[in-house]
C-alpha cells in the first residue's frame, strides 16, 4: 500500500495543537495510564474492571494521538503495536480464560481464587478472572487503536474498513 | 450456592422498588431526540441519533433496576442487607455500553469511508428507489 | 449405531460440549488475528469448523437421547448466571449452520475473497478469517444461549462480524448499502435492549426459562405488548414484512460467499429467536400472537415473491426469495401446533442449505459471465452443463418440486395448515410456491437458455473477487457441489429428520424439560 506524498485533499491540515495541550498531555499521559492499571486490578471486588480500565487507557492513547508532535506522543505512537495484534492477544486471553477451567474439569468461565501472602504487599487476593479482565482491557485498547488508525490522519494501515483511500 | 441465591433465599428484597421520574423523563427525551435525528438526511446526524437512542436504552435498563441508594448486594462484613441494590441492570447496561462502543466505532469507520468515497455527508438515494420513481414518471417501459 | 455414537458423546463433559461451539471459534479468531501468514490463517478455520461440526453432532445426539443440556457458566446458578442450553432445536440448527459455514469457507477460499494474494487487498486477508470465525461463534451462541440478554450479546457478536464482512469490498455502492444494513441492525439492537429493560422491569429476570414462570404472573396486557415488541425486534432481524426492506438492498452488494452465509444464517437466527421466545416465554399469548404472526407470514410470503419476480438481477431475485420464504417458517410457527412448528423447523433446515446453495451458484455464474444482471446473461448451458445442474437442483427444491427437500418441508407445513383449517394461508403458500417456480424459471430462461452472451468485463479487476474469467477454481465448484449434495441428503434422510423435528416441536411447545434442565 503506497503512502501518499502529501496530505490528501479533504483531510485537515496538520496543525500544531496548543502548547498547553502538548505540555499537559505529556504531564498526564503516564498518570492516566497508571490509573487505568489501578482500575484494572481493583476491578474484581470494587468498581473498575477491564472495560473501564481499557477505556481510560484508550483516552490516554487518544490524547497522545491528538497531541501528536510532542515527544511523549511520538514515543507512545512508536511503542504501540498494530491494533490487530492487541485485539488478538486480548481475545486470546479472554477466551482462553473462559475455556481454561475445562482442563481441570470445571465449568466455562469458572474462576479460581487464591490468597497468597506476598512478602512486601501482604495478603493479596487473586482471581483467575483477572486474566479475563486483562484480555478485555487489551481488546478495548486494541479497538481504540483500530479507531485511531482508521479515522485518524494516517488512515491506510487499518484493520477496520477504510484502508483504501489512497487508491 | 451463590451469594446472590443465598440472599434471595433469605428473603432480601431484590425486586425494583420504584423508579426515578427524572430518569424516566430523560429516557423519554433521549428517545425522542434520537428518533428525530435518525430521520435526518446527513449521516452524522443519523450517527448521533443512534448514539442517543443507545444511551436511552441503557438508561432504561438502569431505571428498570429501581431506585439507587440501596446497599450493594452484600455488605463489606458479609452480611446480607435488608433492601439491596440490584446489580444485574448495571451489569447489563455496562455490557450494552461495551457493545455500542464497538459498534459505534465501526459505524464511524464506515461513515468516514462513505465520506471519503462520495465527499458528501448525505445519505445517498437508493438506486432501486430512483429506478421505481423513474418508472412511475415515465410509465412502465 | 446411533446408540454407540450417543455413548461416545456422553464421554465428553456437558460443559465442554455446550460451550465449545461458542468459545472455540473465538479462540480461533484470536489466533487468526495474531498469525497473519496466509497458510496459517486459512488453516485455523479449516480446523475449527469441523471440530465445531462434530461437537454440534454430539450435542444433537445427546439432546435427543437425554433431553436438553444446560450449562451454567462459572457455576453461577440460574437464573442469576449465564445459562447455555442445548435442546433438540438449538443443536440441530447449530449443526446445520456449521456445515453450511464449512462449505462456504472452502468456497470463499477458492474464490479468493478469503485470502487475496495481491498487495492491495492485504486488509481483506487479515480480516476475513477472524471475522468469519466470530460470526460462527455469534451464530452458535444465538442458538445456545438460555437468556434474553445474552441473546442480545450473541446477536451483536454475530452482527459486528457481519458488518466487517459486508464491507470487505468497500466500493461506493457497497458502503451505501452497508450503511443501511448497519443502521437498521443497530436500531433493532437498541429496540432489543429497550425490550429487555422493560421485561426486566416487569419480572426482575432475563433468564428465558425463569421468564416463562415469571411472565405468567404479569398482567396480560403488559405481557402481550412485550411479546409483540419482541416480534418487532426479531422481525427486523428476520426480515419479516413490513420490516424486510433493508435485506434486498444490502445483501446483494457483499461478495458471493458472504451473501451466501448471510442468506442462509442471519435471518434464520432472527426466526429462531421468534420461535424460541414465543413458544418458551409467551405461551399464554398465542391467541393474539398466532393470528398476528399468520398475517405477517402471509404478507411476507406474497410481497417477497412479487419483489423477486420484478427484479432483473439474480442476486436481488434471490434476496427477495429469502424474504418470501421466511414467511413459510413463520407461518408454521403461527399455527402453534406440534405439526406446524415441526414443519417450521424442517423448513428452516431446508432453507438454510438451499438458499446458501443458490447464492454459491450465483457466485459461479458471476465468475463466468462477469455480471449478475439477467438481461446481460444468456446461454449458460452452452458454456457449462454442470453449472446448469448445480442451479437447477436447488432452484427446483426452493420451489418445492418433489422429491426435493423443499417439497417435504412445504408438505409438512401445508398439512399442518390444513389440520387447523387455515385454508387462506395454505392457498397462499401454494400460490407462492408456484410463483417461486416462476421466478426460478425466469432466471433459467434468461440466463441458461439462448445463445451464449458476451462476457462482461470485470468492473474492478484489481479487487479480490475476479469475475468474467473463463476459469472457475475447482474448489469453488466442488464446494457448491458439496452444498448441493447436502441439500439432496435432506429428502433422503427425510423420515428420521422429520421425526426429529416433531420431537423438537413437541419440546418447544411443552417446554417442561427445558425449564427443568435450566432451573434444576
Amino acid at each position: 500500500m503506497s503512502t501518499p506524498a502529501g496530505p490528501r485533499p479533504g483531510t485537515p491540515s496538520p496543525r500544531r495543537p496548543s502548547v498547553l495541550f502538548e505540555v499537559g498531555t505529556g504531564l498526564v499521559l503516564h498518570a492516566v495510564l497508571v490509573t487505568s492499571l489501578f482500575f484494572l486490578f481493583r476491578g474484581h471486588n470494587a468498581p473498575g474492571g477491564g472495560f473501564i480500565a481499557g477505556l481510560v487507557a484508550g483516552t490516554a492513547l487518544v490524547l497522545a494521538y491528538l497531541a501528536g508532535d510532542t515527544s511523549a506522543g511520538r514515543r507512545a505512537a512508536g511503542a504501540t503495536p498494530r491494533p490487530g495484534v492487541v485485539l488478538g492477544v486480548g481475545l486470546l486471553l479472554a477466551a482462553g480464560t473462559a475455556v481454561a477451567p475445562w482442563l481441570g474439569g470445571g465449568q466455562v468461565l469458572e474462576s479460581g481464587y487464591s490468597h497468597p501472602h506476598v512478602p512486601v504487599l501482604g495478603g493479596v487476593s487473586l482471581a483467575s478472572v483477572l486474566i479475563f479482565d486483562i484480555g478485555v482491557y487489551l481488546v478495548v485498547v486494541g479497538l481504540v487503536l483500530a479507531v485511531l488508525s482508521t479515522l485518524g490522519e494516517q488512515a491506510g494501515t487499518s484493520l477496520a474498513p477504510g484502508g483504501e483511500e489512497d487508491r | 450456592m451463590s451469594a446472590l441465591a443465598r440472599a434471595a433465599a433469605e428473603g432480601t428484597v431484590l425486586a425494583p422498588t420504584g423508579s426515578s421520574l427524572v430518569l424516566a423523563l430523560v429516557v423519554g427525551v433521549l428517545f425522542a431526540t434520537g428518533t428525530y435525528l435518525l430521520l435526518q438526511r446527513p449521516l452524522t446526524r443519523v450517527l448521533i441519533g443512534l448514539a442517543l437512542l443507545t444511551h436511552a436504552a441503557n438508561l432504561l435498563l438502569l431505571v428498570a433496576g429501581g431506585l439507587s441508594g440501596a446497599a450493594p448486594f452484600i455488605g463489606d462484613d458479609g452480611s446480607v442487607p435488608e433492601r439491596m441494590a440490584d446489580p444485574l441492570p448495571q451489569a447489563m447496561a455496562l455490557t450494552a455500553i461495551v457493545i455500542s462502543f464497538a459498534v459505534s466505532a465501526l459505524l464511524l469507520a464506515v461513515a468516514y469511508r462513505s465520506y471519503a468515497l462520495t465527499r458528501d455527508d448525505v445519505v445517498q438515494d437508493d438506486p432501486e428507489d430512483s429506478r421505481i420513481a423513474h418508472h412511475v414518471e415515465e410509465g412502465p417501459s | 449405531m446411533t446408540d454407540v455414537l450417543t455413548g461416545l458423546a456422553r464421554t465428553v463433559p456437558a460443559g465442554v460440549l455446550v460451550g465449545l461451539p461458542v468459545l472455540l471459534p473465538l479462540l480461533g479468531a484470536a489466533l487468526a488475528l495474531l498469525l497473519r501468514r496466509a497458510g496459517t490463517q486459512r488453516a485455523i478455520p479449516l480446523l475449527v469448523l469441523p471440530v465445531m461440526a462434530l461437537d454440534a453432532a454430539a450435542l444433537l445426539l445427546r439432546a435427543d437421547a437425554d433431553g436438553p443440556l444446560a450449562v451454567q457458566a462459572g457455576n453461577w446458578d440460574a437464573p442469576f448466571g449465564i445459562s447455555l442450553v442445548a435442546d433438540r432445536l438449538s443443536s440441530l440448527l447449530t449443526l446445520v449452520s456449521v456445515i453450511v459455514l464449512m462449505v462456504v469457507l472452502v468456497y470463499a477460499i477458492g474464490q479468493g475473497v478469503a485470502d487475496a494474494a495481491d498487495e492491495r487487498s492485504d486488509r481483506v486477508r487479515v480480516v476475513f478469517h477472524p471475522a468469519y470465525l466470530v460470526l460462527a461463534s455469534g451464530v452458535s451462541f444465538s442458538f445456545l444461549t438460555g437468556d434474553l440478554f445474552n441473546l442480545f450479546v450473541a446477536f451483536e457478536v454475530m452482527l459486528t462480524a457481519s458488518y466487517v464482512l459486508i464491507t470487505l469490498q468497500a466500493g461506493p455502492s457497497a458502503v451505501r448499502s452497508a450503511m443501511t444494513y448497519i443502521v437498521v441492525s443497530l436500531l433493532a439492537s437498541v429496540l432489543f435492549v429497550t425490550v429487555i429493560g422493560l421485561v426486566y422491569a416487569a419480572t426482575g429476570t432475563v433468564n428465558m426459562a425463569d421468564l416463562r414462570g415469571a411472565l405468567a404472573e404479569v398482567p396480560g396486557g403488559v405481557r402481550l405488548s412485550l411479546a409483540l415488541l419482541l416480534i418487532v425486534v426479531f422481525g427486523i432481524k428476520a426480515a419479516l414484512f413490513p420490516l424486510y426492506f433493508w435485506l434486498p438492498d444490502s445483501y446483494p452488494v457483499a461478495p458471493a460467499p458472504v451473501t451466501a452465509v448471510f442468506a442462509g444464517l442471519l435471518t434464520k437466527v432472527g426466526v429462531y429467536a421468534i420461535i424460541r421466545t414465543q413458544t418458551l416465554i409467551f405461551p399464554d399469548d398465542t391467541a393474539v400472537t398466532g393470528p398476528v404472526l399468520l398475517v405477517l407470514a402471509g404478507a411476507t410470503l406474497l410481497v417477497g415473491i412479487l419483489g423477486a419476480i420484478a427484479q432483473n438481477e439474480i442476486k436481488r431475485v434471490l434476496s427477495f426469495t429469502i424474504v418470501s420464504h421466511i414467511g413459510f417458517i413463520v407461518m408454521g410457527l403461527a399455527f402453534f401446533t406440534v405439526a406446524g412448528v415441526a414443519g417450521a423447523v424442517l423448513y428452516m433446515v431446508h432453507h438454510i442449505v438451499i438458499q446458501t446453495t443458490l447464492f454459491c451458484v450465483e457466485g459461479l455464474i458471476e465468475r463466468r459471465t462477469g455480471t449478475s444482471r439477467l438481461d446481460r446473461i444468456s446461454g449458460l448451458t452452452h458454456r457449462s452443463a454442470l453449472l446448469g445442474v448445480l442451479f437447477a437442483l436447488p432452484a427446483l427444491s426452493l420451489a418445492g418440486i418433489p422429491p426435493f427437500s423443499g417439497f417435504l418441508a412445504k408438505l409438512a407445513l401445508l398439512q399442518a395448515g390444513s389440520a387447523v383449517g387455515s385454508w387462506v394461508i395454505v392457498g397462499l403458500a401454494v400460490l407462492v410456491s408456484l410463483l417461486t417456480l416462476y421466478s426460478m424459471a425466469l432466471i433459467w430462461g434468461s440466463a441458461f437458455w439462448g445463445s451464449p452472451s458476451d462476457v462482461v468485463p470485470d468492473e474492478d479487476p484489481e479487487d479480490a473477487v475476479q469475475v468474467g474469467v473463463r476459469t472457475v477454481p475447482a474448489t469453488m465448484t466442488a464446494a457448491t457441489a458439496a452444498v448441493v449434495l447436502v441439500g439432496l441428503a435432506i429428502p433422503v434422510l427425510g423420515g428420521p429428520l422429520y421425526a426429529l423435528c416433531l420431537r423438537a416441536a413437541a419440546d418447544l411447545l411443552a417446554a417442561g424439560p427445558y425449564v427443568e434442565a435450566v432451573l434444576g
Side-chain angles (χ1 to χ4, degrees):
Chain A
M1 210 171 288
S2 64
T3 34
R8 290 186 311 282
T11 52
S13 60
R15 57 182 193 285
R16 269 178 85 83
S18 81
V19 177
L20 275 179
F21 184 66
E22 282 181 20
V23 175
T25 302
L27 286 176
V28 299
L29 190 61
H30 305 93
V32 175
L33 283 173
V34 171
T35 314
S36 85
L37 290 181
F38 170 67
F39 279 142
L40 172 63
F41 288 111
R42 84 194 284 256
H44 183 54
N45 279 325
F51 175 65
I52 310 294
L55 277 187
V56 173
T59 325
L61 291 173
V62 173
L63 271 181
Y65 173 80
L66 288 178
D69 245 2
T70 61
S71 58
R74 255 203 312 276
R75 259 184 287 129
T80 43
R82 300 171 73 167
V85 175
V86 183
L87 270 175
V89 172
L91 196 56
L92 194 65
L93 282 179
T97 329
V99 299
W102 285 348
L103 300 176
Q107 202 66 274
V108 184
L109 281 172
E110 198 172 333
S111 181
Y113 300 92
S114 75
H115 300 272
H117 214 80
V118 183
V120 183
L121 299 171
V124 181
S125 141
L126 283 178
S128 66
V129 182
L130 181 64
I131 307 175
F132 184 83
D133 255 350
I134 294 174
V136 174
Y137 178 87
L138 288 178
V139 168
V140 175
V141 170
L143 193 65
V144 172
L145 287 176
V147 169
L148 286 182
S149 65
T150 312
L151 301 181
E153 285 182 49
Q154 303 104 3
T157 54
S158 69
L159 175 86
E164 296 171 11
E165 282 86 4
D166 51 346
R167 184 165 354 146
Chain B
M1 194 156 68
S2 72
L4 209 53
R6 200 168 62 235
E10 285 174 17
T12 300
V13 182
L14 241 184
T17 48
S19 52
S20 150
L21 178 65
V22 178
L23 278 187
L25 285 177
V26 172
V27 171
V29 170
L30 281 176
F31 265 120
T33 43
T35 312
Y36 174 76
L37 284 174
L38 191 68
L39 297 174
Q40 301 285 305
R41 204 68 200 260
L43 214 45
T44 33
R45 293 195 180 195
V46 173
L47 298 187
I48 296 172
L50 273 173
L52 288 183
L53 283 176
T54 320
H55 293 326
N58 292 337
L59 203 54
L60 185 86
L61 270 178
L62 285 186
V63 174
L67 289 170
S68 59
F73 66 94
I74 298 291
D76 276 342
D77 51 356
S79 66
V80 178
E82 192 82 348
R83 204 185 125 254
M84 62 193 197
D86 187 351
L88 197 56
Q90 270 95 340
M92 292 196 288
L94 182 63
T95 314
I97 292 170
V98 177
I99 289 170
S100 65
F101 167 66
V103 176
S104 310
L106 201 95
L107 194 59
L108 277 174
V110 179
Y112 177 71
R113 175 112 189 100
S114 164
Y115 167 76
L117 285 169
T118 61
R119 294 270 159 246
D120 203 351
D121 184 36
V122 174
V123 177
Q124 302 290 302
D125 278 329
D126 180 19
E128 194 69 8
D129 286 354
S130 323
R131 206 163 63 89
I132 292 169
H134 187 70
H135 261 281
V136 172
E137 276 170 27
E138 308 267 311
S141 52
Chain C
M1 166 84 169
T2 323
D3 294 340
V4 177
L5 290 176
T6 313
L8 208 60
R10 286 203 186 101
T11 57
V12 185
V16 178
L17 220 48
V18 181
L20 191 125
V22 181
L23 288 166
L24 186 69
L26 279 184
L27 271 176
L31 285 176
L33 271 173
L34 291 175
L35 310 170
R36 288 159 171 258
R37 288 195 30 227
T40 326
Q41 258 208 339
R42 204 183 304 166
I44 292 168
L46 284 176
L47 282 174
V48 165
L49 287 173
V51 174
M52 282 173 74
L54 282 179
D55 185 88
L59 262 185
L60 181 59
L61 287 171
R62 280 287 300 269
D64 196 30
D66 308 341
L69 293 173
V71 168
Q72 317 295 345
N75 276 341
W76 286 83
D77 300 330
F80 302 109
I82 298 171
S83 309
L84 290 176
V85 194
D87 66 348
R88 291 190 176 103
L89 176 66
S90 10
S91 39
L92 175 65
L93 290 179
T94 312
L95 177 63
V96 177
S97 309
V98 175
I99 291 175
V100 163
L101 281 166
M102 262 193 313
V103 178
V104 175
L105 176 73
V106 176
Y107 183 96
I109 290 175
Q111 195 190 27
V113 175
D115 38 14
D118 65 332
E119 177 77 358
R120 222 195 71 199
S121 36
D122 177 56
R123 188 176 60 82
V124 173
R125 195 191 74 208
V126 172
V127 167
F128 181 87
H129 290 293
Y132 197 78
L133 283 170
V134 171
L135 184 85
S137 166
V139 169
S140 38
F141 192 18
S142 310
F143 288 142
L144 293 172
T145 180
D147 74 63
L148 216 49
F149 189 76
N150 279 292
L151 186 60
F152 162 72
V153 175
F155 268 142
E156 289 310 301
V157 170
M158 181 179 86
L159 290 174
T160 310
S162 78
Y163 302 151
V164 174
L165 289 174
I166 208 169
T167 48
L168 275 182
Q169 306 286 320
S173 68
V175 167
R176 190 194 59 77
S177 302
M179 276 313 282
T180 315
Y181 175 69
I182 299 178
V183 167
V184 170
S185 306
L186 202 54
L187 188 63
S189 304
V190 169
L191 273 177
F192 197 1
V193 178
T194 311
V195 181
I196 290 172
L198 296 175
V199 167
Y200 192 81
T203 61
T205 180
V206 286
N207 184 300
M208 288 199 275
D210 200 28
L211 273 175
R212 184 180 172 92
L215 272 170
E217 292 160 20
V218 168
V222 176
R223 196 179 58 220
L224 181 62
S225 44
L226 291 176
L228 293 176
L229 269 173
L230 273 183
I231 291 181
V232 172
V233 170
F234 298 138
I236 300 179
K237 314 259 185 200
L240 204 58
F241 176 88
L243 303 165
Y244 65 90
F245 54 87
W246 55 272
L247 189 148
D249 195 35
S250 56
Y251 276 19
V253 298
V258 173
T259 317
V261 169
F262 285 15
L265 300 181
L266 297 200
T267 46
K268 303 309 175 302
V269 174
V271 181
Y272 163 81
I274 296 182
I275 295 181
R276 176 67 76 199
T277 50
Q278 297 303 323
T279 56
L280 181 59
I281 66 182
F282 297 108
D284 303 330
D285 297 298
T286 51
V288 181
T289 51
V292 168
L293 283 173
L294 208 56
V295 171
L296 292 180
T300 311
L301 279 168
L302 200 60
V303 172
I305 202 64
L306 291 180
I309 290 172
Q311 295 304 314
N312 181 31
E313 211 179 306
I314 302 178
K315 277 186 169 185
R316 293 187 70 101
V317 174
L318 294 178
S319 298
F320 270 104
T321 59
I322 304 176
V323 175
S324 176
H325 287 237
I326 292 296
F328 278 110
I329 309 175
V330 174
M331 162 187 145
L333 169 69
F335 299 142
F336 285 106
T337 60
V338 171
V341 177
V345 175
L346 184 62
Y347 205 93
M348 247 162 114
V349 172
H350 144 76
H351 197 239
I352 288 177
V353 176
I354 295 300
Q355 199 73 51
T356 308
T357 317
L358 283 170
F359 273 104
C360 286
V361 177
E362 191 281 332
L364 291 181
I365 295 177
E366 205 172 333
R367 173 99 185 177
R368 275 188 176 271
T369 61
T371 181
S372 171
R373 289 174 59 99
L374 282 173
D375 52 2
R376 301 184 69 171
I377 317 174
S378 65
L380 271 173
T381 39
H382 291 282
R383 291 244 189 81
S384 165
L386 178 64
L387 194 57
V389 174
L390 288 181
F391 176 78
L393 292 177
L396 289 176
S397 180
L398 187 73
I401 303 295
F404 298 108
S405 56
F407 171 71
L408 286 187
K410 286 198 176 76
L411 189 67
L413 285 174
L414 296 183
Q415 277 180 341
S418 43
V420 293
S422 305
W423 297 110
V424 179
I425 193 90
V426 168
L428 196 62
V430 173
L431 176 70
V432 170
S433 299
L434 291 175
L435 288 175
T436 308
L437 185 61
Y438 176 63
S439 71
M440 291 298 118
L442 281 181
I443 296 183
W444 180 264
S446 166
F448 286 87
W449 277 346
S451 51
S453 57
D454 294 331
V455 171
V456 179
D458 196 342
E459 279 173 18
D460 188 1
E462 284 178 37
D463 67 2
V465 181
Q466 297 221 322
V467 296
V469 285
R470 290 215 160 269
T471 54
V472 175
T475 34
M476 278 172 84
T477 318
T480 314
V483 73
V484 168
L485 285 179
V486 173
L488 290 179
I490 294 176
V492 174
L493 299 172
L497 187 62
Y498 184 59
L500 177 68
C501 291
L502 278 174
R503 291 198 294 276
D507 277 0
L508 281 173
L509 292 175
Y514 186 100
V515 173
E516 212 168 283
V518 176
L519 298 181

